[in-house]
Amino acid sequence: MVGEIPSAETTNQERQENMQAVEQNAELDSSQKLENIDEESKDNASVNTENTEQESFEQMSQNIVLLKEANESLQTQVETTKVQLEEKDTQYKRLAADFENFRKRTQKEKEELDVQAKCSTIIELLPVIDNFDRARSQIKPANDGEMNIHKSYQTVYKQMVETLKRLGVSAMRPEGQEFDPNLHEAVMREPTAEYPEGTVTEELVRGYTLGDRVLRHAMVKVATAPEPEESTEEAQTDAEG
């Protein structure tokens, strides 16, 4: 009936229902809040992850740039060092070539001086050899004593000749050879039909060489063409005249 006063049981039941409704609402609010917190945490974690990845990527990019710069710097240093090494190698080779040329030139000059000194010494001894040659051809021993003396100085002469041979000295043998102004000095001419014109017929003073050097030119007699003989008729005409 309208206007009826609710009983105490009804009031308690409503209170309980209200309390349940409040608890349910509270649970819903808590669940919703937890879900919101969880989503916010995930969002924050996602954002943090993205930020971390972005920072890592930027750091890697910077490291790559630094590595490229370092590599370029090293390449530049390598090229510079390579050029310097090539320059030093060229200088070393040039210096080695100059030293080798200097060594060869010095060695050649030394050998030339040695040969000149040897030539000068041998040239001074040649007159002594000439005297031995004249003595051998002109002196005729008349007795045993003279023969012993002759053999003694001829032994010395042979020793000197052998010594000169060991030094590289050779005596010219120009007889029968064609006259060569590089080796011979013509001091006489001999008209003859026995040898072709320009042939050395006799060696008057012996010449000597040391290797390809002429120590002394040989003084020689050279053949010339014989003078034409006068005919018998010309001879008789000259006699009658």
Side-chain angles (χ1 to χ4, degrees):
M1 291 181 69
V2 178
E4 222 177 81
I5 298 171
S7 63
E9 293 180 357
T10 301
T11 300
N12 290 332
Q13 184 177 359
E14 289 177 354
R15 288 178 180 176
Q16 289 179 356
E17 288 178 355
N18 289 332
M19 288 295 294
Q20 290 178 356
V22 170
E23 290 178 357
Q24 288 178 357
N25 290 332
E27 290 179 358
L28 289 174
D29 290 339
S30 299
S31 298
Q32 186 66 35
K33 288 181 180 180
L34 290 174
E35 289 178 358
N36 292 335
I37 292 171
D38 187 47
E39 289 179 358
E40 289 180 359
S41 299
K42 289 181 179 180
D43 291 339
N44 292 333
S46 177
V47 171
N48 292 333
T49 302
E50 290 179 356
N51 292 334
T52 303
E53 291 178 353
Q54 182 67 25
E55 291 176 356
S56 299
F57 177 78
E58 292 177 355
Q59 185 66 36
M60 289 177 63
S61 298
Q62 292 178 359
N63 291 337
I64 291 172
V65 171
L66 292 175
L67 288 174
K68 286 183 177 180
E69 293 177 353
N71 183 53
E72 291 176 356
S73 177
L74 288 174
Q75 289 293 334
T76 302
Q77 293 179 6
V78 169
E79 292 297 327
T80 303
T81 304
K82 185 177 180 181
V83 172
Q84 292 176 350
L85 287 175
E86 290 177 353
E87 291 177 354
K88 295 297 182 183
D89 184 64
T90 301
Q91 292 176 1
Y92 170 77
K93 289 180 179 178
R94 187 181 297 112
L95 181 62
D98 291 341
F99 177 77
E100 182 65 17
N101 292 333
F102 171 76
R103 186 189 66 79
K104 290 180 179 179
R105 185 171 61 254
T106 304
Q107 182 66 22
K108 187 176 181 180
E109 291 175 354
K110 180 179 180 298
E111 292 175 355
E112 181 67 21
L113 290 174
D114 291 342
V115 172
Q116 289 179 0
K118 186 186 295 185
C119 290
S120 299
T121 303
I122 294 172
I123 289 172
E124 294 296 324
L125 294 175
L126 293 182
V128 180
I129 302 297
D130 294 338
N131 291 332
F132 275 108
D133 281 334
R134 295 188 187 98
R136 185 178 60 177
S137 61
Q138 295 176 4
I139 297 177
K140 305 296 180 182
N143 52 51
D144 293 340
E146 293 179 355
M147 180 59 70
N148 290 332
I149 294 173
H150 179 73
K151 289 181 179 179
S152 296
Y153 70 71
Q154 286 302 312
T155 301
V156 176
Y157 168 73
K158 289 180 181 179
Q159 289 178 349
M160 292 186 66
V161 171
E162 291 298 325
T163 300
L164 293 177
K165 286 182 179 179
R166 287 195 296 271
L167 292 174
V169 178
S170 299
M172 296 183 189
R173 304 295 180 184
E175 293 90 343
Q177 297 180 2
E178 184 179 358
F179 175 78
D180 185 351
N182 296 318
L183 301 175
H184 312 139
E185 181 180 351
V187 295
M188 292 183 66
R189 295 183 181 276
E190 181 182 12
T192 179
E194 296 182 6
Y195 297 95
E197 185 177 4
T199 302
V200 176
T201 60
E202 184 180 355
E203 182 184 46
L204 303 176
V205 178
R206 181 160 295 172
Y208 293 91
T209 59
L210 178 63
D212 56 353
R213 294 172 179 264
V214 176
L215 293 174
R216 186 176 70 184
H217 290 73
M219 297 183 181
V220 298
K221 184 188 294 184
V222 182
T224 59
E227 297 179 359
E229 296 181 358
E230 295 181 355
S231 63
T232 304
E233 293 181 356
E234 291 177 352
Q236 289 178 355
T237 301
D238 291 339
E240 291 175 355

